[in-house]
């Protein structure tokens, strides 16, 4: 059939391929099977879940063709950004590339924090680097937590005072 109004025909065609069980929805499992990094590894489960939740308007744990079309546009935007920061065109983001990416995105993060993120999210290999899926994951989490911090930092001072439970609430409610 034809693509519904407002849905890119290419996205509609891919939706039909990805919707393996023909339910009219894409699950986390189906999305994971459809998305690969430049090294042909599947996207991480957590990243797929984050993205499904972001575009799941009904909170059913799956997305329809409209959500899928929006998700593809979202991934394409992140992929363009990723390729811009992947200066050596290796298909992954190294420590120095990650540092530059954060700086250019307006995050003033220490090398130690960037190293911590790299250690946490990089695939375990001799040259610790981050694939597209983990880059998306890190950036989504950073943005969400930064938004939560800014809600508390009304004076834009760069620091806040909050209790332990307030901190936990801030983090838990922002885990997409």
């Amino acid at each position: 059939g034809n693509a519904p109004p407002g849905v890119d025909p290419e996205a509609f065609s891919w939706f039909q391929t990805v919707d393996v069980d023909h339910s009219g929805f894409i699950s986390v499992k189906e999305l994971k099977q459809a998305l690969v990094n430049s090294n042909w590894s599947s996207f991480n489960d957590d990243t797929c879940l984050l993205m499904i939740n972001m575009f799941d308007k009904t909170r059913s744990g799956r997305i329809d063709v409209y959500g899928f079309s929006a998700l593809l546009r979202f991934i394409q935007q992140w992929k363009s950004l990723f390729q811009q920061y992947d200066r050596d065109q290796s298909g992954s983001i190294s420590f120095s590339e990650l540092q530059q990416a954060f700086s250019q995105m307006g995050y003033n993060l220490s090398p130690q924090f960037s190293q911590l993120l790299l250690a946490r999210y990089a695939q375990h290999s001799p040259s610790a680097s981050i694939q597209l899926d983990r880059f998306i994951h890190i950036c989504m989490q950073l943005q969400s937590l930064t938004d939560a911090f800014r809600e508390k930092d009304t004076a834009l001072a760069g620091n806040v005072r909050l209790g332990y439970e307030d901190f936990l609430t801030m983090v838990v409610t922002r885990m997409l």
Side-chain angles (χ1 to χ4, degrees):
N2 293 330
V7 174
D8 176 65
E10 194 175 318
F12 179 67
S13 176
W14 198 22
F15 177 86
Q16 291 179 307
T17 303
V18 174
D19 182 18
V20 177
D21 64 3
H22 306 292
S23 66
F25 295 93
I26 302 294
S27 67
V28 172
K29 181 180 177 188
E30 288 170 324
L31 184 64
K32 181 182 168 73
Q33 291 173 338
L35 299 176
V36 293
N37 291 298
S38 62
N39 65 356
W40 297 103
S41 64
S42 295
F43 265 44
N44 176 275
D45 289 345
D46 293 336
T47 305
C48 289
L49 181 60
L50 271 176
M51 292 189 303
I52 289 277
N53 288 341
M54 185 175 186
F55 293 95
D56 175 14
K57 302 302 180 210
T58 62
R59 297 286 169 235
S60 64
R62 53 195 192 150
I63 53 175
D64 62 13
V65 68
Y66 297 100
F68 184 73
S69 183
L71 175 91
L72 289 182
R73 285 191 301 275
F74 174 81
I75 291 172
Q76 193 52 50
Q77 290 169 342
W78 279 111
K79 187 174 183 180
S80 294
L81 202 58
F82 179 86
Q83 289 170 335
Q84 177 185 329
Y85 295 131
D86 180 17
R87 301 213 191 294
D88 64 1
Q89 303 300 303
S90 65
S92 62
I93 301 278
S94 67
F95 172 74
S96 62
E97 291 168 335
L98 187 64
Q99 276 286 103
Q100 287 181 325
F102 288 154
S103 176
Q104 289 177 6
M105 286 189 259
Y107 293 108
N108 184 18
L109 303 171
S110 70
Q112 293 82 4
F113 186 75
S114 296
Q115 191 63 50
L116 175 67
L117 287 174
L118 194 67
R120 167 74 173 84
Y121 289 100
Q123 289 185 326
H124 301 291
S125 65
S127 60
S129 60
I130 294 175
Q131 297 294 316
L132 174 62
D133 62 332
R134 295 304 199 143
F135 179 74
I136 292 171
H137 190 109
I138 289 169
C139 291
M140 286 176 67
Q141 291 290 62
L142 264 179
Q143 182 61 53
S144 180
L145 292 170
T146 298
D147 291 347
F149 185 86
R150 284 189 180 137
E151 287 173 12
K152 304 285 185 189
D153 185 18
T154 54
L156 300 176
N159 55 56
V160 295
R161 183 179 175 107
L162 51 110
Y164 180 61
E165 193 162 332
D166 289 337
F167 166 74
L168 290 175
T169 301
M170 188 172 84
V171 171
V172 169
T173 58
R174 292 299 177 144
M175 289 181 175
L176 301 175

